[in-house]
Amino acid sequence: TTGARPHAVVELLHTRCPVRVHVHTGLDGAPFLQRWLEIRNEDTKPVGISAADTWSGIMAEGDAFPEPDSLSTPYSLGWFAGNNWAREGRFVWEPLTSSVTRHLTMRGPYGTSGYQCPFFLLRRDRPPEQYFVFSLAWSGPWQARVLSDAGLYQVLQVRMGLEGPAPLRVLAPGEMAVVPALHIGAVAG
Protein backbone atom coordinates (compact mmCIF):
# COMPACT_ATOMS: atom_id res chain seq x y z
CA THR A 1 0.00 0.00 0.00
CA THR A 2 1.02 3.65 -0.21
CA GLY A 3 0.45 6.64 2.00
CA ALA A 4 1.78 7.81 5.34
CA ARG A 5 2.31 4.25 6.60
CA PRO A 6 3.49 1.95 3.80
CA HIS A 7 2.63 -1.71 4.33
CA ALA A 8 3.60 -4.67 2.12
CA VAL A 9 2.38 -8.26 2.28
CA VAL A 10 4.10 -11.25 0.68
CA GLU A 11 2.06 -14.44 0.43
CA LEU A 12 3.79 -17.84 0.70
CA LEU A 13 2.08 -21.16 0.09
CA HIS A 14 3.72 -24.41 1.17
CA THR A 15 3.98 -26.93 -1.68
CA ARG A 16 3.41 -30.10 0.40
CA CYS A 17 1.42 -28.94 3.41
CA PRO A 18 -1.59 -26.68 2.81
CA VAL A 19 -0.35 -23.78 4.94
CA ARG A 20 -0.51 -20.17 3.77
CA VAL A 21 1.77 -17.52 5.31
CA HIS A 22 1.34 -13.77 4.93
CA VAL A 23 4.58 -11.90 5.68
CA HIS A 24 3.66 -8.34 6.72
CA THR A 25 6.22 -5.51 6.68
CA GLY A 26 5.22 -2.00 7.70
CA LEU A 27 6.95 1.36 7.98
CA ASP A 28 5.89 4.39 10.00
CA GLY A 29 8.33 7.07 8.80
CA ALA A 30 10.90 6.31 11.52
CA PRO A 31 14.07 4.29 10.88
CA PHE A 32 12.25 1.15 12.07
CA LEU A 33 10.21 -1.42 10.26
CA GLN A 34 7.72 -3.80 11.77
CA ARG A 35 7.49 -7.44 10.60
CA TRP A 36 4.91 -10.05 11.59
CA LEU A 37 3.52 -13.27 10.16
CA GLU A 38 0.00 -14.61 9.72
CA ILE A 39 -0.08 -18.40 9.36
CA ARG A 40 -3.28 -20.10 8.17
CA ASN A 41 -4.04 -23.82 8.05
CA GLU A 42 -5.87 -24.52 4.79
CA ASP A 43 -6.04 -28.28 5.39
CA THR A 44 -8.98 -30.35 6.64
CA LYS A 45 -6.73 -31.74 9.43
CA PRO A 46 -4.87 -29.97 12.27
CA VAL A 47 -1.36 -28.73 11.39
CA GLY A 48 1.48 -28.15 13.87
CA ILE A 49 3.79 -25.15 13.64
CA SER A 50 7.25 -26.39 14.59
CA ALA A 51 9.18 -23.09 14.16
CA ALA A 52 8.34 -19.44 13.58
CA ASP A 53 11.11 -16.95 12.78
CA THR A 54 9.61 -13.51 12.27
CA TRP A 55 12.84 -12.34 10.60
CA SER A 56 15.41 -14.27 8.59
CA GLY A 57 17.65 -12.26 6.32
CA ILE A 58 20.94 -10.64 5.41
CA MET A 59 21.65 -7.29 7.08
CA ALA A 60 24.98 -6.51 5.36
CA GLU A 61 27.21 -8.10 2.74
CA GLY A 62 30.26 -7.67 0.50
CA ASP A 63 31.85 -4.25 1.05
CA ALA A 64 30.83 -4.29 4.72
CA PHE A 65 33.68 -6.81 5.28
CA PRO A 66 36.94 -4.96 4.47
CA GLU A 67 39.23 -7.86 5.49
CA PRO A 68 38.00 -11.04 3.79
CA ASP A 69 39.00 -14.40 5.24
CA SER A 70 39.76 -12.88 8.64
CA LEU A 71 38.63 -14.51 11.89
CA SER A 72 37.50 -11.12 13.13
CA THR A 73 34.53 -9.28 11.67
CA PRO A 74 33.59 -5.60 11.82
CA TYR A 75 30.49 -6.39 13.94
CA SER A 76 29.71 -6.74 17.65
CA LEU A 77 26.61 -8.09 19.38
CA GLY A 78 25.10 -6.06 22.22
CA TRP A 79 22.59 -7.76 24.50
CA PHE A 80 21.32 -8.10 28.05
CA ALA A 81 23.42 -11.04 29.27
CA GLY A 82 21.79 -11.48 32.68
CA ASN A 83 18.81 -13.81 32.97
CA ASN A 84 18.63 -13.94 36.76
CA TRP A 85 16.70 -11.73 39.11
CA ALA A 86 18.47 -8.36 39.63
CA ARG A 87 20.86 -9.10 36.74
CA GLU A 88 18.48 -8.49 33.84
CA GLY A 89 20.03 -5.05 33.13
CA ARG A 90 23.59 -6.35 32.56
CA PHE A 91 24.26 -5.15 29.01
CA VAL A 92 27.40 -6.43 27.24
CA TRP A 93 29.08 -6.02 23.84
CA GLU A 94 30.72 -9.12 22.31
CA PRO A 95 32.74 -9.11 19.07
CA LEU A 96 31.41 -11.55 16.46
CA THR A 97 33.86 -14.17 15.19
CA SER A 98 33.76 -15.04 11.51
CA SER A 99 31.71 -18.11 10.56
CA VAL A 100 30.56 -18.72 14.16
CA THR A 101 26.81 -18.52 14.68
CA ARG A 102 25.94 -16.74 17.92
CA HIS A 103 22.76 -18.14 19.51
CA LEU A 104 20.62 -16.12 21.89
CA THR A 105 17.88 -18.19 23.45
CA MET A 106 15.83 -17.34 26.48
CA ARG A 107 13.56 -19.81 28.17
CA GLY A 108 12.42 -19.04 31.68
CA PRO A 109 10.11 -20.89 34.02
CA TYR A 110 6.47 -21.56 33.15
CA GLY A 111 6.77 -20.68 29.44
CA THR A 112 8.12 -17.16 29.99
CA SER A 113 11.37 -15.54 28.86
CA GLY A 114 12.50 -15.29 32.47
CA TYR A 115 14.02 -11.90 33.20
CA GLN A 116 15.39 -11.53 29.67
CA CYS A 117 14.24 -8.89 27.22
CA PRO A 118 13.82 -10.06 23.57
CA PHE A 119 16.15 -7.33 22.34
CA PHE A 120 19.66 -7.01 20.93
CA LEU A 121 21.85 -4.68 18.89
CA LEU A 122 24.38 -5.27 16.17
CA ARG A 123 27.10 -2.62 15.85
CA ARG A 124 29.51 -2.05 12.99
CA ASP A 125 32.73 -1.24 14.84
CA ARG A 126 34.53 0.32 11.88
CA PRO A 127 33.60 3.50 10.02
CA PRO A 128 30.99 4.18 8.99
CA GLU A 129 29.53 3.30 12.39
CA GLN A 130 26.13 1.66 12.09
CA TYR A 131 23.65 -0.07 14.39
CA PHE A 132 20.90 -2.60 13.77
CA VAL A 133 18.26 -2.82 16.51
CA PHE A 134 16.04 -5.90 17.03
CA SER A 135 13.13 -6.04 19.47
CA LEU A 136 10.48 -8.77 19.51
CA ALA A 137 7.03 -7.84 20.91
CA TRP A 138 6.77 -11.04 22.94
CA SER A 139 7.10 -12.00 26.59
CA GLY A 140 7.48 -15.75 26.06
CA PRO A 141 10.51 -17.83 25.08
CA TRP A 142 12.43 -16.44 22.09
CA GLN A 143 15.59 -17.12 20.12
CA ALA A 144 17.94 -15.35 17.74
CA ARG A 145 20.83 -16.55 15.60
CA VAL A 146 23.47 -14.15 14.29
CA LEU A 147 26.14 -15.12 11.76
CA SER A 148 28.90 -12.77 10.68
CA ASP A 149 30.98 -14.43 7.95
CA ALA A 150 34.05 -12.51 6.75
CA GLY A 151 35.18 -15.45 4.61
CA LEU A 152 33.45 -17.12 1.69
CA TYR A 153 30.00 -15.50 1.94
CA GLN A 154 30.86 -12.11 3.50
CA VAL A 155 27.44 -11.61 5.08
CA LEU A 156 25.85 -10.55 8.34
CA GLN A 157 22.78 -12.75 8.71
CA VAL A 158 20.10 -12.67 11.43
CA ARG A 159 17.16 -14.90 12.37
CA MET A 160 14.82 -14.09 15.26
CA GLY A 161 11.52 -15.50 16.44
CA LEU A 162 9.68 -17.70 18.89
CA GLU A 163 11.36 -20.51 20.81
CA GLY A 164 9.93 -23.66 22.30
CA PRO A 165 9.47 -27.37 21.82
CA ALA A 166 7.70 -28.41 18.63
CA PRO A 167 4.92 -27.95 17.97
CA LEU A 168 4.82 -24.32 19.06
CA ARG A 169 1.13 -24.31 18.22
CA VAL A 170 -1.39 -26.61 16.54
CA LEU A 171 -3.78 -24.92 14.11
CA ALA A 172 -7.25 -26.37 13.59
CA PRO A 173 -8.56 -26.56 10.01
CA GLY A 174 -9.07 -22.99 8.75
CA GLU A 175 -7.48 -21.45 11.85
CA MET A 176 -5.01 -18.56 11.60
CA ALA A 177 -2.28 -17.58 14.08
CA VAL A 178 -0.42 -14.27 14.20
CA VAL A 179 3.29 -14.44 15.08
CA PRO A 180 4.31 -11.47 17.29
CA ALA A 181 5.82 -8.44 15.58
CA LEU A 182 9.54 -7.82 15.37
CA HIS A 183 10.75 -4.21 15.26
CA ILE A 184 13.97 -3.71 13.29
CA GLY A 185 15.88 -0.48 12.98
CA ALA A 186 18.98 0.70 11.13
CA VAL A 187 20.70 3.70 12.65
CA ALA A 188 23.89 5.37 11.38
CA GLY A 189 26.32 7.29 13.58
Short mmCIF file of all heavy atoms in Angstrom, two decimals, residues 43-104:
data_model
loop_
_atom_site.label_atom_id
_atom_site.label_comp_id
_atom_site.label_asym_id
_atom_site.label_seq_id
_atom_site.Cartn_x
_atom_site.Cartn_y
_atom_site.Cartn_z
N ASP A 43 -5.79 -26.85 5.49
CA ASP A 43 -6.04 -28.28 5.39
C ASP A 43 -7.34 -28.63 6.13
O ASP A 43 -7.90 -27.82 6.86
CB ASP A 43 -4.86 -29.05 6.01
CG ASP A 43 -4.78 -30.48 5.52
OD1 ASP A 43 -5.73 -30.96 4.86
OD2 ASP A 43 -3.75 -31.13 5.80
N THR A 44 -7.80 -29.85 5.92
CA THR A 44 -8.98 -30.35 6.64
C THR A 44 -8.59 -31.05 7.94
O THR A 44 -9.44 -31.51 8.67
CB THR A 44 -9.77 -31.33 5.75
OG1 THR A 44 -8.90 -32.40 5.36
CG2 THR A 44 -10.31 -30.61 4.53
N LYS A 45 -7.26 -31.13 8.20
CA LYS A 45 -6.73 -31.74 9.43
C LYS A 45 -5.92 -30.69 10.19
O LYS A 45 -5.43 -29.73 9.60
CB LYS A 45 -5.81 -32.91 9.07
CG LYS A 45 -6.49 -34.01 8.28
CD LYS A 45 -5.50 -35.10 7.92
CE LYS A 45 -4.56 -34.54 6.86
NZ LYS A 45 -3.75 -35.47 6.15
N PRO A 46 -5.73 -30.89 11.50
CA PRO A 46 -4.87 -29.97 12.27
C PRO A 46 -3.43 -29.99 11.73
O PRO A 46 -2.95 -31.02 11.23
CB PRO A 46 -4.93 -30.53 13.69
CG PRO A 46 -6.17 -31.34 13.73
CD PRO A 46 -6.35 -31.90 12.34
N VAL A 47 -2.75 -28.87 11.84
CA VAL A 47 -1.36 -28.73 11.39
C VAL A 47 -0.56 -28.10 12.53
O VAL A 47 -0.99 -27.12 13.13
CB VAL A 47 -1.26 -27.84 10.13
CG1 VAL A 47 0.17 -27.52 9.79
CG2 VAL A 47 -1.94 -28.51 8.95
N GLY A 48 0.60 -28.69 12.82
CA GLY A 48 1.48 -28.15 13.87
C GLY A 48 2.51 -27.20 13.29
O GLY A 48 3.07 -27.44 12.23
N ILE A 49 2.74 -26.10 14.00
CA ILE A 49 3.79 -25.15 13.64
C ILE A 49 5.00 -25.52 14.48
O ILE A 49 4.95 -25.42 15.71
CB ILE A 49 3.37 -23.69 13.91
CG1 ILE A 49 2.13 -23.34 13.10
CG2 ILE A 49 4.51 -22.73 13.61
CD1 ILE A 49 1.53 -21.99 13.46
N SER A 50 6.08 -25.95 13.84
CA SER A 50 7.25 -26.39 14.59
C SER A 50 8.27 -25.28 14.81
O SER A 50 9.08 -25.36 15.73
CB SER A 50 7.92 -27.56 13.89
OG SER A 50 8.33 -27.19 12.59
N ALA A 51 8.25 -24.22 14.01
CA ALA A 51 9.18 -23.09 14.16
C ALA A 51 8.53 -21.85 13.57
O ALA A 51 7.73 -21.95 12.64
CB ALA A 51 10.51 -23.38 13.47
N ALA A 52 8.89 -20.68 14.11
CA ALA A 52 8.34 -19.44 13.58
C ALA A 52 9.35 -18.31 13.78
O ALA A 52 9.42 -17.69 14.84
CB ALA A 52 7.03 -19.09 14.27
N ASP A 53 10.17 -18.06 12.76
CA ASP A 53 11.11 -16.95 12.78
C ASP A 53 10.45 -15.76 12.09
O ASP A 53 10.14 -15.82 10.89
CB ASP A 53 12.41 -17.31 12.05
CG ASP A 53 13.29 -18.22 12.86
OD1 ASP A 53 13.22 -18.16 14.10
OD2 ASP A 53 14.05 -18.99 12.27
N THR A 54 10.23 -14.70 12.83
CA THR A 54 9.61 -13.51 12.27
C THR A 54 10.55 -12.84 11.27
O THR A 54 10.11 -12.27 10.29
CB THR A 54 9.24 -12.52 13.40
OG1 THR A 54 8.47 -13.22 14.37
CG2 THR A 54 8.43 -11.37 12.87
N TRP A 55 11.85 -12.93 11.51
CA TRP A 55 12.84 -12.34 10.60
C TRP A 55 13.90 -13.38 10.29
O TRP A 55 14.41 -14.06 11.16
CB TRP A 55 13.50 -11.13 11.23
CG TRP A 55 14.54 -10.51 10.35
CD1 TRP A 55 15.88 -10.79 10.34
CD2 TRP A 55 14.33 -9.55 9.33
NE1 TRP A 55 16.50 -10.04 9.38
CE2 TRP A 55 15.57 -9.26 8.74
CE3 TRP A 55 13.20 -8.89 8.84
CZ2 TRP A 55 15.73 -8.35 7.71
CZ3 TRP A 55 13.35 -7.97 7.82
CH2 TRP A 55 14.60 -7.72 7.26
N SER A 56 14.28 -13.46 9.03
CA SER A 56 15.41 -14.27 8.59
C SER A 56 15.97 -13.59 7.34
O SER A 56 15.32 -13.59 6.30
CB SER A 56 14.97 -15.70 8.26
OG SER A 56 16.07 -16.44 7.80
N GLY A 57 17.14 -12.96 7.48
CA GLY A 57 17.65 -12.26 6.32
C GLY A 57 19.05 -11.73 6.51
O GLY A 57 19.64 -11.80 7.59
N ILE A 58 19.58 -11.20 5.45
CA ILE A 58 20.94 -10.64 5.41
C ILE A 58 20.85 -9.15 5.70
O ILE A 58 20.09 -8.42 5.06
CB ILE A 58 21.59 -10.91 4.04
CG1 ILE A 58 21.80 -12.41 3.87
CG2 ILE A 58 22.90 -10.13 3.91
CD1 ILE A 58 22.32 -12.82 2.52
N MET A 59 21.64 -8.70 6.68
CA MET A 59 21.65 -7.29 7.08
C MET A 59 22.76 -6.51 6.38
O MET A 59 22.63 -5.31 6.19
CB MET A 59 21.83 -7.18 8.60
CG MET A 59 20.80 -7.96 9.40
SD MET A 59 19.09 -7.55 9.02
CE MET A 59 18.99 -5.85 9.52
N ALA A 60 23.86 -7.17 6.04
CA ALA A 60 24.98 -6.51 5.36
C ALA A 60 25.74 -7.58 4.59
O ALA A 60 25.71 -8.76 4.93
CB ALA A 60 25.90 -5.83 6.36
N GLU A 61 26.43 -7.14 3.53
CA GLU A 61 27.21 -8.10 2.74
C GLU A 61 28.32 -7.38 1.99
O GLU A 61 28.36 -6.15 1.92
CB GLU A 61 26.32 -8.86 1.77
CG GLU A 61 25.65 -8.02 0.73
CD GLU A 61 24.72 -8.82 -0.17
OE1 GLU A 61 24.91 -10.04 -0.29
OE2 GLU A 61 23.81 -8.22 -0.75
N GLY A 62 29.23 -8.17 1.40
CA GLY A 62 30.26 -7.67 0.50
C GLY A 62 31.16 -6.60 1.09
O GLY A 62 32.01 -6.89 1.92
N ASP A 63 30.97 -5.35 0.66
CA ASP A 63 31.85 -4.25 1.05
C ASP A 63 31.85 -3.97 2.55
O ASP A 63 32.73 -3.28 3.05
CB ASP A 63 31.45 -2.96 0.32
CG ASP A 63 31.70 -3.08 -1.18
OD1 ASP A 63 32.50 -3.95 -1.59
OD2 ASP A 63 31.09 -2.31 -1.94
N ALA A 64 30.88 -4.49 3.28
CA ALA A 64 30.83 -4.29 4.72
C ALA A 64 31.94 -5.07 5.43
O ALA A 64 32.20 -4.85 6.60
CB ALA A 64 29.47 -4.73 5.27
N PHE A 65 32.61 -5.97 4.72
CA PHE A 65 33.68 -6.81 5.28
C PHE A 65 35.00 -6.45 4.60
O PHE A 65 35.37 -7.05 3.60
CB PHE A 65 33.34 -8.29 5.09
CG PHE A 65 32.13 -8.71 5.86
CD1 PHE A 65 30.86 -8.56 5.32
CD2 PHE A 65 32.26 -9.22 7.14
CE1 PHE A 65 29.73 -8.93 6.04
CE2 PHE A 65 31.14 -9.59 7.86
CZ PHE A 65 29.87 -9.43 7.32
N PRO A 66 35.73 -5.45 5.14
CA PRO A 66 36.94 -4.96 4.47
C PRO A 66 38.12 -5.93 4.49
O PRO A 66 39.03 -5.79 3.70
CB PRO A 66 37.27 -3.69 5.26
CG PRO A 66 36.68 -3.91 6.61
CD PRO A 66 35.47 -4.76 6.39
N GLU A 67 38.11 -6.92 5.39
CA GLU A 67 39.23 -7.86 5.49
C GLU A 67 38.71 -9.28 5.28
O GLU A 67 38.47 -10.01 6.23
CB GLU A 67 39.91 -7.73 6.85
CG GLU A 67 40.49 -6.36 7.09
CD GLU A 67 40.88 -6.16 8.55
OE1 GLU A 67 40.99 -7.15 9.29
OE2 GLU A 67 41.06 -5.00 8.92
N PRO A 68 38.53 -9.69 4.01
CA PRO A 68 38.00 -11.04 3.79
C PRO A 68 38.92 -12.12 4.35
O PRO A 68 40.12 -11.93 4.46
CB PRO A 68 37.90 -11.14 2.27
CG PRO A 68 38.58 -9.95 1.71
CD PRO A 68 38.82 -8.98 2.80
N ASP A 69 38.31 -13.22 4.71
CA ASP A 69 39.00 -14.40 5.24
C ASP A 69 39.69 -14.14 6.58
O ASP A 69 40.62 -14.83 6.94
CB ASP A 69 40.00 -14.94 4.23
CG ASP A 69 39.32 -15.42 2.97
OD1 ASP A 69 38.22 -15.98 3.10
OD2 ASP A 69 39.86 -15.22 1.88
N SER A 70 39.23 -13.16 7.31
CA SER A 70 39.76 -12.88 8.64
C SER A 70 38.87 -13.58 9.67
O SER A 70 37.69 -13.81 9.44
CB SER A 70 39.74 -11.37 8.88
OG SER A 70 40.02 -11.09 10.23
N LEU A 71 39.44 -13.93 10.82
CA LEU A 71 38.63 -14.51 11.89
C LEU A 71 37.80 -13.44 12.59
O LEU A 71 36.78 -13.72 13.18
CB LEU A 71 39.51 -15.22 12.92
CG LEU A 71 40.06 -16.57 12.48
CD1 LEU A 71 40.94 -17.16 13.56
CD2 LEU A 71 38.94 -17.53 12.14
N SER A 72 38.27 -12.19 12.53
CA SER A 72 37.50 -11.12 13.13
C SER A 72 36.56 -10.53 12.09
O SER A 72 36.79 -10.64 10.89
CB SER A 72 38.42 -10.03 13.68
OG SER A 72 39.10 -9.40 12.62
N THR A 73 35.48 -9.93 12.56
CA THR A 73 34.53 -9.28 11.67
C THR A 73 34.35 -7.85 12.17
O THR A 73 34.71 -7.54 13.30
CB THR A 73 33.17 -10.00 11.66
OG1 THR A 73 32.48 -9.74 12.87
CG2 THR A 73 33.32 -11.49 11.44
N PRO A 74 33.79 -6.98 11.37
CA PRO A 74 33.59 -5.60 11.82
C PRO A 74 32.35 -5.41 12.70
O PRO A 74 31.96 -4.28 12.96
CB PRO A 74 33.44 -4.84 10.50
CG PRO A 74 32.91 -5.83 9.54
CD PRO A 74 33.49 -7.15 9.95
N TYR A 75 31.74 -6.50 13.19
CA TYR A 75 30.49 -6.39 13.94
C TYR A 75 30.61 -6.93 15.36
O TYR A 75 31.33 -7.88 15.63
CB TYR A 75 29.37 -7.14 13.21
CG TYR A 75 29.01 -6.48 11.92
CD1 TYR A 75 29.54 -6.94 10.72
CD2 TYR A 75 28.18 -5.37 11.90
CE1 TYR A 75 29.23 -6.30 9.52
CE2 TYR A 75 27.87 -4.73 10.71
CZ TYR A 75 28.40 -5.20 9.53
OH TYR A 75 28.09 -4.57 8.36
N SER A 76 29.84 -6.29 16.26
CA SER A 76 29.71 -6.74 17.65
C SER A 76 28.24 -6.90 17.97
O SER A 76 27.39 -6.21 17.41
CB SER A 76 30.32 -5.72 18.61
OG SER A 76 31.72 -5.66 18.47
N LEU A 77 27.96 -7.81 18.91
CA LEU A 77 26.61 -8.09 19.38
C LEU A 77 26.44 -7.47 20.75
O LEU A 77 27.25 -7.72 21.65
CB LEU A 77 26.39 -9.60 19.45
CG LEU A 77 25.12 -10.11 20.10
CD1 LEU A 77 23.91 -9.76 19.24
CD2 LEU A 77 25.20 -11.61 20.33
N GLY A 78 25.41 -6.65 20.93
CA GLY A 78 25.10 -6.06 22.22
C GLY A 78 23.79 -6.63 22.73
O GLY A 78 22.79 -6.62 22.01
N TRP A 79 23.80 -7.14 23.97
CA TRP A 79 22.59 -7.76 24.50
C TRP A 79 22.62 -7.75 26.02
O TRP A 79 23.65 -7.52 26.64
CB TRP A 79 22.42 -9.17 23.96
CG TRP A 79 23.49 -10.14 24.36
CD1 TRP A 79 24.82 -10.10 24.02
CD2 TRP A 79 23.34 -11.29 25.17
NE1 TRP A 79 25.48 -11.16 24.57
CE2 TRP A 79 24.60 -11.92 25.27
CE3 TRP A 79 22.26 -11.87 25.80
CZ2 TRP A 79 24.81 -13.07 26.01
CZ3 TRP A 79 22.46 -13.04 26.52
CH2 TRP A 79 23.72 -13.62 26.62
N PHE A 80 21.44 -8.00 26.61
CA PHE A 80 21.32 -8.10 28.05
C PHE A 80 21.68 -9.53 28.44
O PHE A 80 20.90 -10.46 28.24
CB PHE A 80 19.90 -7.75 28.51
CG PHE A 80 19.58 -6.30 28.32
CD1 PHE A 80 18.76 -5.89 27.28
CD2 PHE A 80 20.11 -5.34 29.16
CE1 PHE A 80 18.47 -4.56 27.10
CE2 PHE A 80 19.83 -4.00 28.99
CZ PHE A 80 19.00 -3.60 27.96
N ALA A 81 22.89 -9.71 29.01
CA ALA A 81 23.42 -11.04 29.27
C ALA A 81 22.86 -11.68 30.53
O ALA A 81 22.94 -12.89 30.70
CB ALA A 81 24.95 -10.99 29.35
N GLY A 82 22.31 -10.91 31.43
CA GLY A 82 21.79 -11.48 32.68
C GLY A 82 20.39 -12.03 32.50
O GLY A 82 19.54 -11.38 31.92
N ASN A 83 20.15 -13.23 33.01
CA ASN A 83 18.81 -13.81 32.97
C ASN A 83 18.38 -14.25 34.36
O ASN A 83 17.55 -15.11 34.53
CB ASN A 83 18.73 -14.99 32.00
CG ASN A 83 17.28 -15.35 31.69
OD1 ASN A 83 16.40 -14.51 31.75
ND2 ASN A 83 17.04 -16.61 31.38
N ASN A 84 19.00 -13.65 35.38
CA ASN A 84 18.63 -13.94 36.76
C ASN A 84 18.02 -12.69 37.37
O ASN A 84 18.28 -11.57 36.91
CB ASN A 84 19.85 -14.35 37.58
CG ASN A 84 20.52 -15.58 37.03
OD1 ASN A 84 19.91 -16.33 36.27
ND2 ASN A 84 21.77 -15.80 37.39
N TRP A 85 17.29 -12.87 38.43
CA TRP A 85 16.70 -11.73 39.11
C TRP A 85 17.81 -10.74 39.51
O TRP A 85 18.88 -11.15 39.97
CB TRP A 85 15.95 -12.21 40.34
CG TRP A 85 15.30 -11.09 41.08
CD1 TRP A 85 14.09 -10.54 40.82
CD2 TRP A 85 15.85 -10.36 42.17
NE1 TRP A 85 13.84 -9.50 41.68
CE2 TRP A 85 14.93 -9.37 42.52
CE3 TRP A 85 17.05 -10.43 42.87
CZ2 TRP A 85 15.15 -8.46 43.54
CZ3 TRP A 85 17.26 -9.52 43.89
CH2 TRP A 85 16.31 -8.55 44.21
N ALA A 86 17.56 -9.46 39.30
CA ALA A 86 18.47 -8.36 39.63
C ALA A 86 19.69 -8.30 38.71
O ALA A 86 20.58 -7.49 38.91
CB ALA A 86 18.92 -8.39 41.09
N ARG A 87 19.77 -9.15 37.70
CA ARG A 87 20.86 -9.10 36.74
C ARG A 87 20.36 -8.85 35.32
O ARG A 87 21.13 -8.88 34.38
CB ARG A 87 21.65 -10.42 36.76
CG ARG A 87 22.41 -10.59 38.01
CD ARG A 87 23.23 -11.84 37.92
NE ARG A 87 24.27 -11.80 38.92
CZ ARG A 87 25.35 -12.51 38.87
NH1 ARG A 87 25.54 -13.33 37.86
NH2 ARG A 87 26.24 -12.43 39.81
N GLU A 88 19.05 -8.62 35.17
CA GLU A 88 18.48 -8.49 33.84
C GLU A 88 18.95 -7.24 33.10
O GLU A 88 18.79 -7.14 31.90
CB GLU A 88 16.95 -8.53 33.89
CG GLU A 88 16.34 -7.41 34.70
CD GLU A 88 16.15 -7.74 36.17
OE1 GLU A 88 16.73 -8.70 36.66
OE2 GLU A 88 15.39 -7.00 36.82
N GLY A 89 19.55 -6.27 33.78
CA GLY A 89 20.03 -5.05 33.13
C GLY A 89 21.50 -5.09 32.76
O GLY A 89 22.07 -4.08 32.35
N ARG A 90 22.15 -6.24 32.86
CA ARG A 90 23.59 -6.35 32.56
C ARG A 90 23.79 -6.41 31.05
O ARG A 90 23.70 -7.47 30.43
CB ARG A 90 24.17 -7.59 33.23
CG ARG A 90 25.68 -7.66 33.15
CD ARG A 90 26.22 -8.75 34.06
NE ARG A 90 25.67 -10.04 33.75
CZ ARG A 90 26.30 -10.98 33.05
NH1 ARG A 90 27.49 -10.76 32.57
NH2 ARG A 90 25.73 -12.15 32.83
N PHE A 91 24.09 -5.26 30.45
CA PHE A 91 24.26 -5.15 29.01
C PHE A 91 25.73 -5.33 28.65
O PHE A 91 26.61 -4.74 29.28
CB PHE A 91 23.77 -3.78 28.52
CG PHE A 91 23.73 -3.66 27.03
CD1 PHE A 91 22.66 -4.16 26.30
CD2 PHE A 91 24.78 -3.07 26.35
CE1 PHE A 91 22.63 -4.06 24.93
CE2 PHE A 91 24.75 -2.96 24.97
CZ PHE A 91 23.67 -3.46 24.26
N VAL A 92 26.02 -6.17 27.64
CA VAL A 92 27.40 -6.43 27.24
C VAL A 92 27.52 -6.33 25.71
O VAL A 92 26.56 -6.53 24.98
CB VAL A 92 27.89 -7.83 27.69
CG1 VAL A 92 27.88 -7.95 29.20
CG2 VAL A 92 27.06 -8.93 27.06
N TRP A 93 28.73 -5.98 25.26
CA TRP A 93 29.08 -6.02 23.84
C TRP A 93 30.06 -7.17 23.65
O TRP A 93 31.02 -7.30 24.41
CB TRP A 93 29.75 -4.72 23.39
CG TRP A 93 28.80 -3.59 23.21
CD1 TRP A 93 28.62 -2.54 24.06
CD2 TRP A 93 27.91 -3.39 22.12
NE1 TRP A 93 27.67 -1.70 23.56
CE2 TRP A 93 27.21 -2.19 22.37
CE3 TRP A 93 27.62 -4.10 20.96
CZ2 TRP A 93 26.25 -1.69 21.50
CZ3 TRP A 93 26.66 -3.59 20.09
CH2 TRP A 93 25.99 -2.40 20.37
N GLU A 94 29.83 -8.01 22.63
CA GLU A 94 30.72 -9.12 22.31
C GLU A 94 31.08 -9.05 20.83
O GLU A 94 30.18 -8.98 19.99
CB GLU A 94 30.02 -10.46 22.57
CG GLU A 94 29.61 -10.70 23.98
CD GLU A 94 28.80 -11.98 24.14
OE1 GLU A 94 28.51 -12.66 23.13
OE2 GLU A 94 28.46 -12.30 25.28
N PRO A 95 32.38 -9.08 20.50
CA PRO A 95 32.74 -9.11 19.07
C PRO A 95 32.27 -10.42 18.44
O PRO A 95 32.28 -11.47 19.08
CB PRO A 95 34.26 -9.01 19.08
CG PRO A 95 34.69 -9.28 20.47
CD PRO A 95 33.53 -9.11 21.38
N LEU A 96 31.83 -10.35 17.19
CA LEU A 96 31.41 -11.55 16.46
C LEU A 96 32.61 -12.14 15.73
O LEU A 96 33.35 -11.42 15.06
CB LEU A 96 30.29 -11.21 15.48
CG LEU A 96 28.97 -10.79 16.12
CD1 LEU A 96 27.98 -10.34 15.06
CD2 LEU A 96 28.39 -11.92 16.95
N THR A 97 32.78 -13.44 15.86
CA THR A 97 33.86 -14.17 15.19
C THR A 97 33.34 -14.69 13.87
O THR A 97 32.21 -15.18 13.78
CB THR A 97 34.34 -15.33 16.07
OG1 THR A 97 34.74 -14.81 17.34
CG2 THR A 97 35.49 -16.07 15.43
N SER A 98 34.18 -14.61 12.84
CA SER A 98 33.76 -15.04 11.51
C SER A 98 33.35 -16.50 11.49
O SER A 98 34.02 -17.36 12.08
CB SER A 98 34.90 -14.82 10.51
OG SER A 98 34.48 -15.18 9.21
N SER A 99 32.25 -16.76 10.82
CA SER A 99 31.71 -18.11 10.56
C SER A 99 31.24 -18.83 11.82
O SER A 99 31.01 -20.04 11.79
CB SER A 99 32.74 -18.97 9.82
OG SER A 99 33.11 -18.35 8.62
N VAL A 100 31.07 -18.12 12.93
CA VAL A 100 30.56 -18.72 14.16
C VAL A 100 29.18 -18.14 14.42
O VAL A 100 29.03 -16.93 14.58
CB VAL A 100 31.49 -18.44 15.36
CG1 VAL A 100 30.87 -18.97 16.65
CG2 VAL A 100 32.86 -19.04 15.12
N THR A 101 28.17 -18.98 14.43
CA THR A 101 26.81 -18.52 14.68
C THR A 101 26.63 -18.30 16.16
O THR A 101 26.89 -19.18 16.97
CB THR A 101 25.78 -19.54 14.17
OG1 THR A 101 25.96 -19.72 12.77
CG2 THR A 101 24.36 -19.06 14.43
N ARG A 102 26.20 -17.09 16.51
CA ARG A 102 25.94 -16.74 17.92
C ARG A 102 24.46 -16.96 18.20
O ARG A 102 23.61 -16.39 17.54
CB ARG A 102 26.34 -15.28 18.15
CG ARG A 102 26.17 -14.81 19.56
CD ARG A 102 27.14 -15.55 20.49
NE ARG A 102 27.10 -14.97 21.81
CZ ARG A 102 26.26 -15.36 22.77
NH1 ARG A 102 25.39 -16.32 22.55
NH2 ARG A 102 26.29 -14.79 23.94
N HIS A 103 24.15 -17.83 19.16
CA HIS A 103 22.76 -18.14 19.51
C HIS A 103 22.37 -17.37 20.77
O HIS A 103 23.09 -17.42 21.76
CB HIS A 103 22.59 -19.64 19.79
CG HIS A 103 22.82 -20.49 18.61
ND1 HIS A 103 21.80 -20.88 17.78
CD2 HIS A 103 23.94 -21.03 18.10
CE1 HIS A 103 22.29 -21.63 16.81
NE2 HIS A 103 23.59 -21.73 16.98
N LEU A 104 21.25 -16.70 20.71
CA LEU A 104 20.62 -16.12 21.89
C LEU A 104 19.32 -16.87 22.07
O LEU A 104 18.49 -16.91 21.15
CB LEU A 104 20.33 -14.63 21.70
CG LEU A 104 21.51 -13.70 21.45
CD1 LEU A 104 21.01 -12.29 21.19
CD2 LEU A 104 22.46 -13.72 22.62
#
